[in-house]
Amino acid sequence: MTWLATTQTILCFIPLAYFAILDYRTMSIPAAPLEIWCTIICLYGAIRDWHLLAVAIAVMVVTGAFAWCTRGMGSADVLVIGALAATLGLLPTLWGLLLACMLGCCHCLCSRTRRIPFVPALFVGNAVIAGLPHLHLTLPVIGAYTLVLLG
């Protein structure tokens, strides 16, 4: 991993943890900080490789169309997925999205609610996928999310 990729990953996951906590507590994220963060992450992706910016835009268009058709996801979820695609690439983001969907379903079943704070699930799912080579560091993240979910 290059220096630029490491910087982008740090710039992605530290604010994303804040947004995840905010989404879990209030079920909303302020638009301005999220949009500024997403723009910075996508520009870092473009500096690393312009293909990452194209992937991020394509992912945002597809998930935005899905969110508009189903009225199930919010615009914050779409921006977070796009920023993750600009950071990790397409395939890791899709695996993280799959894991986030499973975590969201578990949250829905355990809390017996239909509203799911999806940004925390996206954070955990993509942190696990990004940290698979360092699984001993990501297991506490999964454990903390499970405790918050059940507590």
Side-chain angles (χ1 to χ4, degrees):
M1 189 178 268
T2 66
W3 176 84
L4 195 56
T6 305
T7 304
Q8 184 182 9
T9 304
I10 291 169
L11 284 175
C12 181
F13 281 102
I14 290 175
L16 185 56
Y18 168 73
F19 292 135
I21 292 168
L22 196 61
D23 189 36
Y24 185 78
R25 289 183 179 165
T26 65
M27 296 294 282
S28 68
I29 299 173
L34 182 71
E35 291 168 354
I36 292 169
W37 169 77
C38 184
T39 303
I40 290 170
I41 295 301
C42 288
L43 289 176
Y44 258 95
I47 291 170
R48 268 184 48 207
D49 183 5
W50 70 270
H51 292 98
L52 288 175
L53 180 61
V55 166
I57 291 170
V59 165
M60 282 191 245
V61 167
V62 170
T63 55
F66 177 76
W68 183 77
C69 290
T70 62
R71 293 180 180 33
M73 285 187 351
S75 59
D77 302 327
V78 172
L79 289 175
V80 167
I81 294 169
L84 288 166
T87 301
L88 303 174
L90 181 61
L91 197 56
T93 301
L94 292 177
W95 281 110
L97 184 60
L98 177 65
L99 187 56
C101 288
M102 290 189 293
L103 289 170
C105 288
C106 291
H107 175 80
C108 189
L109 291 173
C110 291
S111 65
R112 298 175 202 248
T113 182
R114 295 187 70 192
R115 291 195 53 146
I116 301 169
F118 198 55
V119 174
L122 284 169
F123 170 75
V124 172
N126 283 285
V128 168
I129 295 301
L132 276 181
H134 310 288
L135 192 59
H136 63 284
L137 299 175
T138 59
L139 287 177
V141 173
I142 298 170
Y145 183 80
T146 306
L147 289 176
V148 167
L149 179 65
L150 298 176

